Amino acid sequence: MMKKFFLIALGLLCMTGLFAQDNTLLWKVSGNGLTKDSYVFGTLHMACADDFRIADKVKNALGVTDKIAFEVDVTKPENMQLVQGALAPNPEFFNGLAVDKKQFIDSVLTSLQVPPMIFDQVSPVAVISMLAMKSFDCPDMNSIKMMEMELQALEDAKGKTVEELETITFQMDLMSELFSAEDLYTYLKESGNMSELTKRMVKAYFEENIAELEEMMINTAYLSPEKQALLLDTRNEAWLEKMPAMMEADAYFFAVGAGHLVGEKGIVQLLKDKGYTLTPILN
Protein backbone atom coordinates (compact mmCIF):
# COMPACT_ATOMS: atom_id res chain seq x y z
CA MET A 1 0.00 0.00 0.00
CA MET A 2 2.86 2.39 0.73
CA LYS A 3 3.91 2.40 -2.91
CA LYS A 4 0.65 4.24 -3.63
CA PHE A 5 1.04 6.95 -1.01
CA PHE A 6 3.65 9.21 -2.57
CA LEU A 7 2.07 9.08 -6.01
CA ILE A 8 -1.40 9.78 -4.64
CA ALA A 9 -0.42 12.86 -2.63
CA LEU A 10 1.65 14.23 -5.48
CA GLY A 11 -1.11 13.47 -7.93
CA LEU A 12 -3.72 15.30 -5.87
CA LEU A 13 -1.46 18.31 -5.64
CA CYS A 14 -0.91 18.21 -9.36
CA MET A 15 -4.61 18.68 -9.94
CA THR A 16 -4.16 22.26 -8.72
CA GLY A 17 -3.38 25.01 -11.18
CA LEU A 18 -6.03 24.09 -13.74
CA PHE A 19 -7.30 26.69 -16.19
CA ALA A 20 -10.43 26.29 -18.28
CA GLN A 21 -9.89 25.09 -21.84
CA ASP A 22 -11.12 22.23 -24.05
CA ASN A 23 -12.98 19.63 -22.02
CA THR A 24 -10.54 16.82 -22.62
CA LEU A 25 -7.65 15.22 -20.80
CA LEU A 26 -6.18 13.64 -23.95
CA TRP A 27 -4.21 15.52 -26.64
CA LYS A 28 -2.53 14.39 -29.84
CA VAL A 29 0.92 15.84 -30.53
CA SER A 30 1.89 16.16 -34.20
CA GLY A 31 3.77 18.40 -36.62
CA ASN A 32 7.11 20.10 -36.05
CA GLY A 33 8.94 17.38 -37.94
CA LEU A 34 7.42 14.40 -36.14
CA THR A 35 6.92 11.33 -38.31
CA LYS A 36 4.57 9.71 -35.78
CA ASP A 37 1.89 11.19 -33.53
CA SER A 38 2.33 11.08 -29.77
CA TYR A 39 -0.28 11.68 -27.08
CA VAL A 40 -0.37 13.36 -23.68
CA PHE A 41 -2.96 12.27 -21.14
CA GLY A 42 -3.79 13.91 -17.82
CA THR A 43 -4.31 11.43 -15.01
CA LEU A 44 -5.93 11.33 -11.65
CA HIS A 45 -3.49 8.89 -10.14
CA MET A 46 -6.07 6.84 -8.26
CA ALA A 47 -9.79 6.34 -7.63
CA CYS A 48 -12.11 3.92 -5.92
CA ALA A 49 -12.89 0.83 -8.00
CA ASP A 50 -16.56 1.85 -8.41
CA ASP A 51 -15.59 5.23 -9.88
CA PHE A 52 -12.59 4.21 -11.93
CA ARG A 53 -12.66 3.83 -15.69
CA ILE A 54 -10.43 4.34 -18.71
CA ALA A 55 -12.12 5.86 -21.75
CA ASP A 56 -11.95 4.06 -25.08
CA LYS A 57 -10.22 7.05 -26.66
CA VAL A 58 -7.39 6.65 -24.13
CA LYS A 59 -7.07 2.95 -24.92
CA ASN A 60 -7.06 3.73 -28.63
CA ALA A 61 -4.30 6.33 -28.23
CA LEU A 62 -2.27 3.92 -26.15
CA GLY A 63 -2.71 1.25 -28.79
CA VAL A 64 -1.23 3.33 -31.63
CA THR A 65 1.88 4.48 -29.77
CA ASP A 66 5.22 2.70 -29.40
CA LYS A 67 6.21 3.51 -25.83
CA ILE A 68 4.71 4.78 -22.57
CA ALA A 69 6.13 7.52 -20.35
CA PHE A 70 4.97 8.20 -16.79
CA GLU A 71 6.24 10.70 -14.26
CA VAL A 72 7.70 7.65 -12.53
CA ASP A 73 7.16 3.93 -12.97
CA VAL A 74 5.61 2.78 -9.71
CA THR A 75 5.97 -0.88 -10.66
CA LYS A 76 9.78 -0.88 -10.74
CA PRO A 77 11.14 -2.90 -7.80
CA GLU A 78 14.01 -0.46 -7.28
CA ASN A 79 11.50 2.40 -6.94
CA MET A 80 9.61 0.48 -4.29
CA GLN A 81 12.81 -0.04 -2.35
CA LEU A 82 13.53 3.69 -2.48
CA VAL A 83 10.02 4.46 -1.24
CA GLN A 84 10.40 2.08 1.66
CA GLY A 85 13.68 3.76 2.56
CA ALA A 86 11.99 7.17 2.72
CA LEU A 87 9.48 6.22 5.40
CA ALA A 88 11.61 7.13 8.41
CA PRO A 89 10.02 9.71 10.74
CA ASN A 90 11.33 13.26 10.93
CA PRO A 91 11.55 14.23 14.62
CA GLU A 92 12.11 17.89 13.72
CA PHE A 93 9.05 18.23 11.48
CA PHE A 94 6.98 20.24 13.98
CA ASN A 95 9.86 22.38 15.26
CA GLY A 96 8.83 26.04 15.27
CA LEU A 97 5.13 25.38 14.72
CA ALA A 98 2.86 27.26 17.14
CA VAL A 99 1.40 25.10 19.90
CA ASP A 100 -2.19 25.91 18.95
CA LYS A 101 -1.55 24.84 15.35
CA LYS A 102 -0.05 21.55 16.48
CA GLN A 103 -3.07 20.98 18.69
CA PHE A 104 -5.35 21.67 15.75
CA ILE A 105 -3.47 19.14 13.60
CA ASP A 106 -3.74 16.56 16.37
CA SER A 107 -7.47 17.16 16.74
CA VAL A 108 -8.12 16.77 13.01
CA LEU A 109 -6.04 13.61 12.83
CA THR A 110 -7.92 12.18 15.79
CA SER A 111 -11.26 12.98 14.15
CA LEU A 112 -10.06 11.09 11.08
CA GLN A 113 -9.09 8.13 13.27
CA VAL A 114 -5.40 8.70 12.57
CA PRO A 115 -3.37 8.70 15.83
CA PRO A 116 -1.20 11.86 16.10
CA MET A 117 1.72 9.74 17.28
CA ILE A 118 1.94 8.29 13.78
CA PHE A 119 4.51 11.01 13.08
CA ASP A 120 6.78 9.12 15.48
CA GLN A 121 6.50 6.04 13.29
CA VAL A 122 6.64 7.17 9.66
CA SER A 123 7.67 10.19 7.60
CA PRO A 124 5.45 13.30 7.28
CA VAL A 125 5.08 12.58 3.55
CA ALA A 126 3.72 9.12 4.32
CA VAL A 127 1.20 10.61 6.76
CA ILE A 128 0.08 13.28 4.30
CA SER A 129 -0.23 10.66 1.58
CA MET A 130 -2.26 8.49 3.95
CA LEU A 131 -4.64 11.41 4.54
CA ALA A 132 -4.97 11.92 0.80
CA MET A 133 -5.83 8.27 0.29
CA LYS A 134 -8.26 8.33 3.19
CA SER A 135 -10.12 11.26 1.61
CA PHE A 136 -11.26 8.98 -1.24
CA ASP A 137 -13.39 7.11 1.32
CA CYS A 138 -13.50 3.94 -0.76
CA PRO A 139 -15.74 1.13 0.54
CA ASP A 140 -12.78 -1.21 0.18
CA MET A 141 -9.40 0.51 0.33
CA ASN A 142 -7.73 -2.62 -1.02
CA SER A 143 -9.65 -2.24 -4.26
CA ILE A 144 -8.23 1.21 -5.05
CA LYS A 145 -7.31 1.55 -8.70
CA MET A 146 -4.13 3.33 -9.75
CA MET A 147 -4.28 4.83 -13.23
CA GLU A 148 -0.65 4.12 -14.12
CA MET A 149 -0.87 0.48 -13.09
CA GLU A 150 -4.21 0.00 -14.84
CA LEU A 151 -2.87 1.55 -18.04
CA GLN A 152 0.08 -0.83 -18.00
CA ALA A 153 -2.28 -3.77 -17.52
CA LEU A 154 -4.27 -2.99 -20.67
CA GLU A 155 -3.92 -5.24 -23.71
CA ASP A 156 -2.88 -2.18 -25.73
CA ALA A 157 0.10 -1.64 -23.41
CA LYS A 158 1.49 -5.15 -23.44
CA GLY A 159 5.09 -5.42 -24.56
CA LYS A 160 5.63 -1.66 -24.60
CA THR A 161 8.62 -0.06 -22.93
CA VAL A 162 7.77 2.15 -19.96
CA GLU A 163 10.02 5.15 -19.37
CA GLU A 164 10.13 7.84 -16.67
CA LEU A 165 10.19 11.61 -16.95
CA GLU A 166 11.81 11.95 -13.52
CA THR A 167 13.05 9.76 -10.68
CA ILE A 168 11.21 8.55 -7.61
CA THR A 169 13.98 10.08 -5.49
CA PHE A 170 13.28 13.48 -7.02
CA GLN A 171 9.57 13.11 -6.28
CA MET A 172 10.14 12.09 -2.68
CA ASP A 173 12.55 14.97 -2.11
CA LEU A 174 10.06 17.35 -3.71
CA MET A 175 7.26 16.16 -1.45
CA SER A 176 9.42 16.72 1.60
CA GLU A 177 10.28 20.20 0.38
CA LEU A 178 6.70 21.12 -0.41
CA PHE A 179 5.10 19.92 2.81
CA SER A 180 6.17 21.76 5.92
CA ALA A 181 4.27 21.53 9.21
CA GLU A 182 2.79 24.94 8.41
CA ASP A 183 1.59 23.63 5.04
CA LEU A 184 -0.02 20.64 6.75
CA TYR A 185 -1.83 22.97 9.13
CA THR A 186 -3.08 25.13 6.24
CA TYR A 187 -4.14 22.07 4.28
CA LEU A 188 -6.16 20.64 7.16
CA LYS A 189 -7.64 24.02 8.05
CA GLU A 190 -8.73 24.95 4.53
CA SER A 191 -9.66 21.57 3.12
CA GLY A 192 -12.94 21.37 5.02
CA ASN A 193 -14.74 18.14 4.22
CA MET A 194 -11.90 16.37 2.41
CA SER A 195 -13.99 13.36 1.43
CA GLU A 196 -16.72 15.47 -0.15
CA LEU A 197 -14.17 17.58 -2.01
CA THR A 198 -12.38 14.49 -3.29
CA LYS A 199 -15.64 12.93 -4.46
CA ARG A 200 -16.46 16.08 -6.42
CA MET A 201 -12.98 16.10 -7.90
CA VAL A 202 -13.19 12.45 -8.96
CA LYS A 203 -16.60 13.01 -10.58
CA ALA A 204 -15.38 16.10 -12.45
CA TYR A 205 -12.24 14.30 -13.57
CA PHE A 206 -13.98 11.29 -15.09
CA GLU A 207 -16.54 13.59 -16.74
CA GLU A 208 -13.59 15.62 -18.10
CA ASN A 209 -15.24 18.72 -16.69
CA ILE A 210 -12.18 20.97 -16.81
CA ALA A 211 -14.12 24.06 -15.74
CA GLU A 212 -15.36 22.29 -12.61
CA LEU A 213 -11.86 21.05 -11.81
CA GLU A 214 -10.55 24.58 -12.22
CA GLU A 215 -13.17 26.04 -9.92
CA MET A 216 -12.54 23.44 -7.24
CA MET A 217 -8.76 23.47 -7.34
CA ILE A 218 -8.12 27.18 -7.73
CA ASN A 219 -10.44 27.90 -4.84
CA THR A 220 -8.85 25.28 -2.60
CA ALA A 221 -5.17 25.77 -3.47
CA TYR A 222 -3.11 26.27 -0.33
CA LEU A 223 0.52 26.09 -1.43
CA SER A 224 2.40 29.33 -1.89
CA PRO A 225 2.94 30.53 -5.48
CA GLU A 226 6.60 29.60 -5.16
CA LYS A 227 5.79 26.04 -4.10
CA GLN A 228 3.13 25.64 -6.76
CA ALA A 229 5.75 26.70 -9.32
CA LEU A 230 8.09 23.99 -8.02
CA LEU A 231 5.29 21.45 -8.14
CA LEU A 232 4.13 22.21 -11.66
CA ASP A 233 6.00 24.79 -13.75
CA THR A 234 9.56 23.74 -12.97
CA ARG A 235 8.81 20.08 -13.62
CA ASN A 236 6.92 20.86 -16.82
CA GLU A 237 9.93 22.75 -18.15
CA ALA A 238 12.25 19.89 -17.22
CA TRP A 239 10.01 17.39 -19.01
CA LEU A 240 9.92 19.60 -22.11
CA GLU A 241 13.70 19.25 -22.30
CA LYS A 242 13.23 15.49 -22.76
CA MET A 243 10.00 15.07 -24.68
CA PRO A 244 11.03 16.36 -28.15
CA ALA A 245 13.88 13.87 -28.54
CA MET A 246 11.68 11.08 -27.25
CA MET A 247 8.91 11.87 -29.75
CA GLU A 248 11.36 12.17 -32.63
CA ALA A 249 12.49 8.61 -32.02
CA ASP A 250 9.16 6.94 -31.16
CA ALA A 251 5.44 7.58 -30.76
CA TYR A 252 4.88 8.09 -27.03
CA PHE A 253 1.88 7.93 -24.76
CA PHE A 254 2.70 10.41 -21.98
CA ALA A 255 0.57 10.05 -18.84
CA VAL A 256 1.12 12.70 -16.16
CA GLY A 257 -0.94 14.41 -13.47
CA ALA A 258 -3.79 16.38 -15.08
CA GLY A 259 -2.65 19.69 -13.61
CA HIS A 260 0.54 19.45 -15.65
CA LEU A 261 -1.32 19.68 -18.95
CA VAL A 262 -3.09 23.00 -18.68
CA GLY A 263 -2.45 26.68 -18.18
CA GLU A 264 0.05 29.06 -19.75
CA LYS A 265 2.94 27.01 -18.38
CA GLY A 266 1.31 23.62 -18.84
CA ILE A 267 2.59 20.84 -21.09
CA VAL A 268 -0.01 21.52 -23.79
CA GLN A 269 0.90 25.19 -24.14
CA LEU A 270 4.64 24.55 -23.82
CA LEU A 271 4.46 22.04 -26.67
CA LYS A 272 2.53 24.55 -28.77
CA ASP A 273 5.20 27.14 -28.02
CA LYS A 274 7.80 24.74 -29.41
CA GLY A 275 5.90 24.50 -32.68
CA TYR A 276 3.93 21.28 -32.21
CA THR A 277 0.28 20.93 -33.16
CA LEU A 278 -1.89 19.93 -30.19
CA THR A 279 -5.23 18.43 -31.10
CA PRO A 280 -7.85 17.81 -28.37
CA ILE A 281 -9.25 14.27 -28.51
CA LEU A 282 -12.86 14.73 -27.48
CA ASN A 283 -14.22 11.24 -28.09
Side-chain angles (χ1 to χ4, degrees):
M1 188 66 72
M2 288 307 302
K3 71 182 181 181
K4 301 179 180 179
F5 284 172
F6 294 99
L7 191 61
I8 291 165
L10 194 65
L12 286 175
L13 280 173
C14 289
M15 293 297 292
T16 64
L18 291 165
F19 296 86
Q21 57 179 49
D22 298 84
N23 276 333
T24 184
L25 295 162
L26 179 65
W27 294 77
K28 182 173 72 175
V29 186
S30 60
N32 204 24
L34 295 182
T35 58
K36 296 181 179 180
D37 298 335
S38 287
Y39 291 83
V40 289
F41 173 55
T43 69
L44 178 64
H45 292 302
M46 67 152 284
C48 301
D50 291 343
D51 299 318
F52 186 89
R53 59 187 179 274
I54 299 176
D56 286 341
K57 66 179 183 179
V58 174
K59 297 176 184 178
N60 293 339
L62 181 59
V64 298
T65 50
D66 302 318
K67 295 182 179 180
I68 303 169
F70 296 132
E71 296 176 27
V72 296
D73 181 1
V74 296
T75 66
K76 288 174 61 174
E78 54 265 45
N79 281 346
M80 296 309 98
Q81 293 176 1
L82 289 170
V83 169
Q84 292 295 330
L87 298 181
N90 177 4
E92 299 179 354
F93 182 67
F94 289 107
N95 288 0
L97 187 69
V99 174
D100 61 322
K101 292 182 178 181
K102 177 60 167 65
Q103 291 173 341
F104 175 81
I105 291 172
D106 290 350
S107 67
V108 173
L109 291 179
T110 300
S111 71
L112 295 173
Q113 299 182 323
V114 177
M117 68 279 299
I118 195 170
F119 284 96
D120 297 329
Q121 303 167 3
V122 295
S123 68
V125 171
V127 177
I128 293 162
S129 302
M130 190 182 304
L131 293 174
M133 181 180 286
K134 194 175 182 67
S135 72
F136 282 83
D137 196 23
C138 300
D140 179 7
M141 295 303 289
N142 291 321
S143 68
I144 286 173
K145 300 285 189 180
M146 292 190 68
M147 180 66 77
E148 287 76 8
M149 296 178 70
E150 295 300 319
L151 286 170
Q152 284 182 263
L154 291 173
E155 185 68 28
D156 292 310
K158 286 186 177 178
K160 294 185 178 178
T161 300
V162 176
E163 297 185 7
E164 300 176 299
L165 291 170
E166 58 195 17
T167 67
I168 193 72
T169 301
F170 170 83
Q171 284 201 353
M172 291 187 295
D173 290 345
L174 176 64
M175 288 289 290
S176 297
E177 182 177 356
L178 289 176
F179 276 116
S180 66
E182 190 72 36
D183 293 322
L184 175 59
Y185 168 77
T186 302
Y187 169 65
L188 293 176
K189 189 173 180 62
E190 296 185 1
S191 59
N193 187 330
M194 289 186 289
S195 291
E196 182 60 32
L197 178 64
T198 301
K199 287 178 182 178
R200 285 181 57 206
M201 179 185 66
V202 169
K203 182 175 184 294
Y205 173 82
F206 284 109
E207 291 177 352
E208 295 191 277
N209 188 337
I210 305 303
E212 173 73 2
L213 287 170
E214 175 194 8
E215 188 277 329
M216 290 174 58
M217 295 306 156
I218 294 298
N219 290 339
T220 58
Y222 65 92
L223 291 179
S224 68
E226 294 77 17
K227 287 189 175 183
Q228 289 198 51
L230 284 175
L231 176 68
L232 294 171
D233 301 347
T234 301
R235 295 167 70 207
N236 291 348
E237 291 167 1
W239 297 347
L240 259 292
E241 294 295 317
K242 301 177 180 180
M243 291 173 67
M246 295 168 72
M247 293 188 294
E248 286 176 12
D250 297 286
Y252 271 84
F253 182 91
F254 296 96
V256 298
H260 286 287
L261 265 60
V262 292
E264 294 181 357
K265 297 182 179 180
I267 293 293
V268 170
Q269 186 59 50
L270 291 178
L271 285 168
K272 289 180 180 179
D273 292 343
K274 282 186 173 290
Y276 297 99
T277 298
L278 275 291
T279 304
I281 307 301
L282 301 177
N283 50 52

